[in-house]
Amino acid sequence: MGMQQGVFVTGTDTGVGKTFVAAALAFHLKKSGVSVGVMKPIETGVSRSSVGGSDAARLRAVVETDDTLEAICPYSFGLPLAPLAAAQAEQRDIDPAKIRQVYRVLSQGYECMVVEGAGGVYVPLARNNDVIDLIARLRLPVVVVGRSVLGGINHALLTLDALRRRRIRILALVLNRTEPARSALARTQERTTVDLLRRRAGVPVLGPLPYEPGLAGRFRSSVLKSARSAAITKLAGLVRAAAR
C-alpha cells in the first residue's frame, strides 16, 4: 500500500485524548500492514525524569520505531504551559520551518505519518504562528479529537469552523469519553451531544471511545484495545481513502 501520506491529530482543547487516538490509529495502521511513523513536534511539561512517560515516548513505543525522541519531538519543554510561554520561559524559540524540515526527513521512511499537535488549533507556537499555521504548513488532513460531554458541541464546532476557514481538509471528528457517565443525566448529556454533532459537524463523527480509567498506568493495553474498536477502524479507513 503506497500511501506516502499522513494525518494531523488535533484537539478541541488540551487533555481531550489526542495522544490516545493518535497512538490507537498508528497501531491499527501498522497492524494492517502500513509502515507508520509518528511525530509530536512540540510537547510541554516534560522534565528529564519524566521523558519516558511523555506523549512522544508513548507514541514511539506503540509503533516500535527506532526514530529518536529528538526527531519525533523536536521541541520539548519542562514547564506545563502553552508552547509559546514554555519556550519563552527557557529563552528558546519554536521555528515552524524546522518542524516541517524534520517532518519531511522523517516521513521519507514511512508510508504514513501520524502527527499529534499540542492543545487546540489556536494554541500559539511563535509570534503570529499558531498550531493551525503548522497544520497548513505540513499540508496534512486533520482528525479532530473532542469531548463527548456537555460543552463538547461548541468546542468541536468552533474548531471545525476554524479549520474550514483555512481550507484545511478534515477527515473526522473523534469523540472521546474523558470522564465516566455515571448518572442518567450524564448519559443523556452525552447522547444528545453526540446526536447534535452528527447532525451539525459536516464530517464523520466517530465514537465516543470508552472511558479509560487509570490510563497513565495502562496506556499501551488501552491503546491496543481501542485500536480494534469500530471508531478507530473507521478512522483508519478514512486515512487510507485520503491517501488515494
Side-chain angles (χ1 to χ4, degrees), residues 100-135:
R100 185 182 180 189
Q101 181 181 21
V102 172
Y103 169 81
R104 292 179 68 177
V105 172
L106 203 59
S107 65
Q108 289 175 2
Y110 299 99
E111 293 174 300
C112 182
M113 289 290 296
V114 176
V115 183
E116 183 200 343
V121 296
Y122 281 134
V123 167
L125 305 179
R127 185 176 296 178
N128 301 320
N129 213 289
D130 301 335
V131 168
I132 198 168
D133 298 299
L134 176 61
I135 296 171

mmCIF file of all heavy atoms in Angstrom, residues 100-135:
data_model
loop_
_atom_site.group_PDB
_atom_site.id
_atom_site.type_symbol
_atom_site.label_atom_id
_atom_site.label_comp_id
_atom_site.label_asym_id
_atom_site.label_seq_id
_atom_site.Cartn_x
_atom_site.Cartn_y
_atom_site.Cartn_z
ATOM 1 N N ARG A 100 8.793 21.510 9.974
ATOM 2 C CA ARG A 100 8.469 20.991 8.641
ATOM 3 C C ARG A 100 9.663 20.233 8.050
ATOM 4 O O ARG A 100 9.492 19.180 7.422
ATOM 5 C CB ARG A 100 8.068 22.133 7.712
ATOM 6 C CG ARG A 100 7.613 21.619 6.338
ATOM 7 C CD ARG A 100 7.276 22.753 5.408
ATOM 8 N NE ARG A 100 6.853 22.249 4.105
ATOM 9 C CZ ARG A 100 6.661 23.009 3.040
ATOM 10 N NH1 ARG A 100 6.829 24.312 3.123
ATOM 11 N NH2 ARG A 100 6.285 22.474 1.892
ATOM 12 N N GLN A 101 10.852 20.756 8.268
ATOM 13 C CA GLN A 101 12.048 20.091 7.742
ATOM 14 C C GLN A 101 12.232 18.715 8.384
ATOM 15 O O GLN A 101 12.515 17.728 7.703
ATOM 16 C CB GLN A 101 13.281 20.954 7.996
ATOM 17 C CG GLN A 101 14.581 20.359 7.462
ATOM 18 C CD GLN A 101 15.781 21.245 7.761
ATOM 19 O OE1 GLN A 101 15.736 22.081 8.663
ATOM 20 N NE2 GLN A 101 16.856 21.064 7.024
ATOM 21 N N VAL A 102 12.074 18.652 9.702
ATOM 22 C CA VAL A 102 12.204 17.374 10.408
ATOM 23 C C VAL A 102 11.122 16.409 9.934
ATOM 24 O O VAL A 102 11.377 15.216 9.714
ATOM 25 C CB VAL A 102 12.125 17.585 11.938
ATOM 26 C CG1 VAL A 102 12.073 16.243 12.663
ATOM 27 C CG2 VAL A 102 13.308 18.407 12.426
ATOM 28 N N TYR A 103 9.896 16.930 9.773
ATOM 29 C CA TYR A 103 8.802 16.091 9.289
ATOM 30 C C TYR A 103 9.125 15.503 7.919
ATOM 31 O O TYR A 103 8.912 14.310 7.674
ATOM 32 C CB TYR A 103 7.504 16.895 9.217
ATOM 33 C CG TYR A 103 6.403 16.167 8.472
ATOM 34 C CD1 TYR A 103 5.641 15.191 9.100
ATOM 35 C CD2 TYR A 103 6.163 16.432 7.121
ATOM 36 C CE1 TYR A 103 4.655 14.491 8.413
ATOM 37 C CE2 TYR A 103 5.183 15.737 6.431
ATOM 38 C CZ TYR A 103 4.432 14.774 7.071
ATOM 39 O OH TYR A 103 3.480 14.086 6.389
ATOM 40 N N ARG A 104 9.639 16.323 7.031
ATOM 41 C CA ARG A 104 9.926 15.850 5.670
ATOM 42 C C ARG A 104 10.987 14.755 5.674
ATOM 43 O O ARG A 104 10.882 13.767 4.942
ATOM 44 C CB ARG A 104 10.362 17.023 4.788
ATOM 45 C CG ARG A 104 9.234 18.005 4.513
ATOM 46 C CD ARG A 104 9.679 19.156 3.662
ATOM 47 N NE ARG A 104 9.991 18.736 2.291
ATOM 48 C CZ ARG A 104 10.350 19.584 1.328
ATOM 49 N NH1 ARG A 104 10.450 20.879 1.590
ATOM 50 N NH2 ARG A 104 10.612 19.136 0.124
ATOM 51 N N VAL A 105 11.998 14.916 6.502
ATOM 52 C CA VAL A 105 13.045 13.894 6.596
ATOM 53 C C VAL A 105 12.480 12.614 7.198
ATOM 54 O O VAL A 105 12.706 11.508 6.691
ATOM 55 C CB VAL A 105 14.237 14.407 7.437
ATOM 56 C CG1 VAL A 105 15.232 13.280 7.712
ATOM 57 C CG2 VAL A 105 14.928 15.566 6.725
ATOM 58 N N LEU A 106 11.725 12.752 8.277
ATOM 59 C CA LEU A 106 11.169 11.593 8.974
ATOM 60 C C LEU A 106 10.178 10.843 8.084
ATOM 61 O O LEU A 106 10.177 9.605 8.042
ATOM 62 C CB LEU A 106 10.470 12.068 10.257
ATOM 63 C CG LEU A 106 10.287 11.066 11.402
ATOM 64 C CD1 LEU A 106 11.626 10.525 11.867
ATOM 65 C CD2 LEU A 106 9.564 11.741 12.567
ATOM 66 N N SER A 107 9.356 11.583 7.367
ATOM 67 C CA SER A 107 8.291 10.959 6.571
ATOM 68 C C SER A 107 8.829 10.160 5.385
ATOM 69 O O SER A 107 8.111 9.304 4.853
ATOM 70 C CB SER A 107 7.314 12.023 6.066
ATOM 71 O OG SER A 107 7.950 12.910 5.159
ATOM 72 N N GLN A 108 10.052 10.421 4.985
ATOM 73 C CA GLN A 108 10.625 9.692 3.849
ATOM 74 C C GLN A 108 10.774 8.194 4.121
ATOM 75 O O GLN A 108 10.846 7.393 3.192
ATOM 76 C CB GLN A 108 11.982 10.289 3.462
ATOM 77 C CG GLN A 108 11.870 11.659 2.811
ATOM 78 C CD GLN A 108 13.217 12.295 2.536
ATOM 79 O OE1 GLN A 108 14.262 11.702 2.788
ATOM 80 N NE2 GLN A 108 13.199 13.517 2.028
ATOM 81 N N GLY A 109 10.803 7.827 5.393
ATOM 82 C CA GLY A 109 10.983 6.420 5.742
ATOM 83 C C GLY A 109 9.686 5.655 5.945
ATOM 84 O O GLY A 109 9.724 4.475 6.301
ATOM 85 N N TYR A 110 8.541 6.321 5.723
ATOM 86 C CA TYR A 110 7.257 5.683 6.033
ATOM 87 C C TYR A 110 6.228 5.923 4.941
ATOM 88 O O TYR A 110 6.298 6.904 4.204
ATOM 89 C CB TYR A 110 6.715 6.212 7.364
ATOM 90 C CG TYR A 110 7.628 5.936 8.524
ATOM 91 C CD1 TYR A 110 8.488 6.925 8.999
ATOM 92 C CD2 TYR A 110 7.649 4.689 9.143
ATOM 93 C CE1 TYR A 110 9.351 6.673 10.063
ATOM 94 C CE2 TYR A 110 8.505 4.432 10.206
ATOM 95 C CZ TYR A 110 9.355 5.425 10.660
ATOM 96 O OH TYR A 110 10.204 5.172 11.706
ATOM 97 N N GLU A 111 5.244 5.034 4.905
ATOM 98 C CA GLU A 111 4.101 5.215 4.019
ATOM 99 C C GLU A 111 3.119 6.231 4.583
ATOM 100 O O GLU A 111 2.433 6.932 3.843
ATOM 101 C CB GLU A 111 3.377 3.883 3.815
ATOM 102 C CG GLU A 111 4.176 2.842 3.062
ATOM 103 C CD GLU A 111 3.465 1.509 3.013
ATOM 104 O OE1 GLU A 111 3.188 0.939 4.076
ATOM 105 O OE2 GLU A 111 3.174 1.054 1.893
ATOM 106 N N CYS A 112 3.032 6.291 5.899
ATOM 107 C CA CYS A 112 2.060 7.175 6.548
ATOM 108 C C CYS A 112 2.649 7.743 7.833
ATOM 109 O O CYS A 112 3.301 7.030 8.594
ATOM 110 C CB CYS A 112 0.776 6.407 6.859
ATOM 111 S SG CYS A 112 -0.525 7.406 7.628
ATOM 112 N N MET A 113 2.406 9.039 8.058
ATOM 113 C CA MET A 113 2.830 9.693 9.295
ATOM 114 C C MET A 113 1.600 10.095 10.107
ATOM 115 O O MET A 113 0.624 10.625 9.556
ATOM 116 C CB MET A 113 3.647 10.945 8.984
ATOM 117 C CG MET A 113 5.029 10.677 8.427
ATOM 118 S SD MET A 113 6.172 9.972 9.650
ATOM 119 C CE MET A 113 6.272 11.314 10.842
ATOM 120 N N VAL A 114 1.655 9.839 11.402
ATOM 121 C CA VAL A 114 0.623 10.309 12.320
ATOM 122 C C VAL A 114 1.274 11.375 13.200
ATOM 123 O O VAL A 114 2.184 11.083 13.975
ATOM 124 C CB VAL A 114 0.050 9.162 13.179
ATOM 125 C CG1 VAL A 114 -0.963 9.714 14.189
ATOM 126 C CG2 VAL A 114 -0.598 8.103 12.297
ATOM 127 N N VAL A 115 0.825 12.618 13.033
ATOM 128 C CA VAL A 115 1.410 13.756 13.738
ATOM 129 C C VAL A 115 0.408 14.279 14.757
ATOM 130 O O VAL A 115 -0.749 14.569 14.408
ATOM 131 C CB VAL A 115 1.790 14.885 12.754
ATOM 132 C CG1 VAL A 115 2.460 16.042 13.486
ATOM 133 C CG2 VAL A 115 2.703 14.346 11.646
ATOM 134 N N GLU A 116 0.844 14.407 15.995
ATOM 135 C CA GLU A 116 -0.046 14.908 17.051
ATOM 136 C C GLU A 116 0.327 16.332 17.432
ATOM 137 O O GLU A 116 1.486 16.643 17.686
ATOM 138 C CB GLU A 116 0.034 14.022 18.296
ATOM 139 C CG GLU A 116 -0.925 14.480 19.388
ATOM 140 C CD GLU A 116 -0.560 13.972 20.763
ATOM 141 O OE1 GLU A 116 0.220 13.017 20.861
ATOM 142 O OE2 GLU A 116 -1.062 14.551 21.749
ATOM 143 N N GLY A 117 -0.668 17.196 17.476
ATOM 144 C CA GLY A 117 -0.441 18.588 17.832
ATOM 145 C C GLY A 117 -0.383 18.805 19.331
ATOM 146 O O GLY A 117 -0.378 17.871 20.131
ATOM 147 N N ALA A 118 -0.352 20.096 19.701
ATOM 148 C CA ALA A 118 -0.325 20.494 21.116
ATOM 149 C C ALA A 118 -1.565 21.333 21.391
ATOM 150 O O ALA A 118 -1.737 22.394 20.789
ATOM 151 C CB ALA A 118 0.940 21.287 21.417
ATOM 152 N N GLY A 119 -2.440 20.844 22.262
ATOM 153 C CA GLY A 119 -3.655 21.592 22.571
ATOM 154 C C GLY A 119 -4.566 21.730 21.365
ATOM 155 O O GLY A 119 -4.655 20.835 20.528
ATOM 156 N N GLY A 120 -5.224 22.890 21.260
ATOM 157 C CA GLY A 120 -6.142 23.153 20.158
ATOM 158 C C GLY A 120 -5.495 23.928 19.028
ATOM 159 O O GLY A 120 -4.298 24.247 19.073
ATOM 160 N N VAL A 121 -6.290 24.268 18.017
ATOM 161 C CA VAL A 121 -5.727 24.841 16.796
ATOM 162 C C VAL A 121 -5.215 26.264 16.960
ATOM 163 O O VAL A 121 -4.358 26.711 16.187
ATOM 164 C CB VAL A 121 -6.747 24.787 15.634
ATOM 165 C CG1 VAL A 121 -7.070 23.352 15.271
ATOM 166 C CG2 VAL A 121 -8.017 25.561 15.958
ATOM 167 N N TYR A 122 -5.716 26.995 17.953
ATOM 168 C CA TYR A 122 -5.252 28.366 18.136
ATOM 169 C C TYR A 122 -4.233 28.507 19.271
ATOM 170 O O TYR A 122 -3.973 29.612 19.738
ATOM 171 C CB TYR A 122 -6.436 29.308 18.363
ATOM 172 C CG TYR A 122 -7.161 29.670 17.086
ATOM 173 C CD1 TYR A 122 -8.550 29.632 17.006
ATOM 174 C CD2 TYR A 122 -6.443 30.046 15.949
ATOM 175 C CE1 TYR A 122 -9.201 29.947 15.831
ATOM 176 C CE2 TYR A 122 -7.090 30.368 14.767
ATOM 177 C CZ TYR A 122 -8.469 30.321 14.719
ATOM 178 O OH TYR A 122 -9.117 30.642 13.550
ATOM 179 N N VAL A 123 -3.662 27.402 19.688
ATOM 180 C CA VAL A 123 -2.587 27.471 20.678
ATOM 181 C C VAL A 123 -1.367 28.122 20.013
ATOM 182 O O VAL A 123 -0.914 27.667 18.962
ATOM 183 C CB VAL A 123 -2.232 26.065 21.201
ATOM 184 C CG1 VAL A 123 -0.920 26.077 21.967
ATOM 185 C CG2 VAL A 123 -3.358 25.538 22.086
ATOM 186 N N PRO A 124 -0.815 29.192 20.614
ATOM 187 C CA PRO A 124 0.311 29.884 19.984
ATOM 188 C C PRO A 124 1.625 29.119 20.112
ATOM 189 O O PRO A 124 1.928 28.565 21.165
ATOM 190 C CB PRO A 124 0.374 31.215 20.744
ATOM 191 C CG PRO A 124 -0.270 30.943 22.063
ATOM 192 C CD PRO A 124 -1.296 29.880 21.823
ATOM 193 N N LEU A 125 2.370 29.088 19.014
ATOM 194 C CA LEU A 125 3.675 28.432 18.985
ATOM 195 C C LEU A 125 4.811 29.446 18.910
ATOM 196 O O LEU A 125 5.876 29.252 19.493
ATOM 197 C CB LEU A 125 3.774 27.491 17.777
ATOM 198 C CG LEU A 125 2.692 26.426 17.642
ATOM 199 C CD1 LEU A 125 2.925 25.601 16.384
ATOM 200 C CD2 LEU A 125 2.647 25.537 18.880
ATOM 201 N N ALA A 126 4.587 30.487 18.149
ATOM 202 C CA ALA A 126 5.583 31.543 17.974
ATOM 203 C C ALA A 126 4.830 32.838 17.699
ATOM 204 O O ALA A 126 3.592 32.843 17.643
ATOM 205 C CB ALA A 126 6.526 31.205 16.814
ATOM 206 N N ARG A 127 5.537 33.915 17.530
ATOM 207 C CA ARG A 127 4.872 35.181 17.243
ATOM 208 C C ARG A 127 4.111 35.058 15.921
ATOM 209 O O ARG A 127 4.669 34.697 14.896
ATOM 210 C CB ARG A 127 5.905 36.310 17.145
ATOM 211 C CG ARG A 127 5.290 37.690 16.955
ATOM 212 C CD ARG A 127 6.356 38.748 16.956
ATOM 213 N NE ARG A 127 7.053 38.825 18.243
ATOM 214 C CZ ARG A 127 8.066 39.670 18.477
ATOM 215 N NH1 ARG A 127 8.502 40.460 17.526
ATOM 216 N NH2 ARG A 127 8.648 39.681 19.660
ATOM 217 N N ASN A 128 2.822 35.339 15.959
ATOM 218 C CA ASN A 128 1.963 35.266 14.771
ATOM 219 C C ASN A 128 1.953 33.875 14.133
ATOM 220 O O ASN A 128 1.818 33.748 12.921
ATOM 221 C CB ASN A 128 2.393 36.305 13.733
ATOM 222 C CG ASN A 128 2.335 37.719 14.270
ATOM 223 O OD1 ASN A 128 1.405 38.074 14.989
ATOM 224 N ND2 ASN A 128 3.337 38.522 13.951
ATOM 225 N N ASN A 129 2.091 32.833 14.957
ATOM 226 C CA ASN A 129 2.107 31.477 14.426
ATOM 227 C C ASN A 129 1.490 30.537 15.440
ATOM 228 O O ASN A 129 2.015 30.374 16.545
ATOM 229 C CB ASN A 129 3.547 31.051 14.111
ATOM 230 C CG ASN A 129 3.610 30.127 12.915
ATOM 231 O OD1 ASN A 129 3.187 28.978 13.013
ATOM 232 N ND2 ASN A 129 4.120 30.615 11.796
ATOM 233 N N ASP A 130 0.371 29.920 15.047
ATOM 234 C CA ASP A 130 -0.358 29.021 15.931
ATOM 235 C C ASP A 130 -0.306 27.590 15.397
ATOM 236 O O ASP A 130 0.230 27.336 14.312
ATOM 237 C CB ASP A 130 -1.821 29.466 16.051
ATOM 238 C CG ASP A 130 -1.965 30.883 16.587
ATOM 239 O OD1 ASP A 130 -1.042 31.341 17.294
ATOM 240 O OD2 ASP A 130 -2.984 31.524 16.286
ATOM 241 N N VAL A 131 -0.904 26.664 16.133
ATOM 242 C CA VAL A 131 -0.952 25.266 15.685
ATOM 243 C C VAL A 131 -1.599 25.159 14.309
ATOM 244 O O VAL A 131 -1.150 24.392 13.460
ATOM 245 C CB VAL A 131 -1.702 24.390 16.713
ATOM 246 C CG1 VAL A 131 -2.020 23.018 16.130
ATOM 247 C CG2 VAL A 131 -0.869 24.229 17.991
ATOM 248 N N ILE A 132 -2.640 25.944 14.060
ATOM 249 C CA ILE A 132 -3.325 25.870 12.772
ATOM 250 C C ILE A 132 -2.403 26.259 11.624
ATOM 251 O O ILE A 132 -2.513 25.740 10.505
ATOM 252 C CB ILE A 132 -4.617 26.729 12.787
ATOM 253 C CG1 ILE A 132 -5.532 26.300 11.638
ATOM 254 C CG2 ILE A 132 -4.309 28.215 12.761
ATOM 255 C CD1 ILE A 132 -6.939 26.864 11.737
ATOM 256 N N ASP A 133 -1.470 27.165 11.887
ATOM 257 C CA ASP A 133 -0.491 27.546 10.866
ATOM 258 C C ASP A 133 0.477 26.393 10.594
ATOM 259 O O ASP A 133 0.902 26.190 9.452
ATOM 260 C CB ASP A 133 0.279 28.789 11.313
ATOM 261 C CG ASP A 133 -0.634 29.992 11.503
ATOM 262 O OD1 ASP A 133 -1.269 30.401 10.519
ATOM 263 O OD2 ASP A 133 -0.726 30.494 12.636
ATOM 264 N N LEU A 134 0.832 25.656 11.634
ATOM 265 C CA LEU A 134 1.692 24.486 11.459
ATOM 266 C C LEU A 134 0.976 23.418 10.629
ATOM 267 O O LEU A 134 1.579 22.806 9.742
ATOM 268 C CB LEU A 134 2.096 23.913 12.818
ATOM 269 C CG LEU A 134 2.916 22.617 12.788
ATOM 270 C CD1 LEU A 134 4.240 22.830 12.064
ATOM 271 C CD2 LEU A 134 3.150 22.099 14.203
ATOM 272 N N ILE A 135 -0.309 23.207 10.900
ATOM 273 C CA ILE A 135 -1.083 22.231 10.129
ATOM 274 C C ILE A 135 -1.071 22.607 8.651
ATOM 275 O O ILE A 135 -0.845 21.772 7.771
ATOM 276 C CB ILE A 135 -2.528 22.143 10.651
ATOM 277 C CG1 ILE A 135 -2.557 21.626 12.088
ATOM 278 C CG2 ILE A 135 -3.372 21.237 9.757
ATOM 279 C CD1 ILE A 135 -3.923 21.712 12.747
#
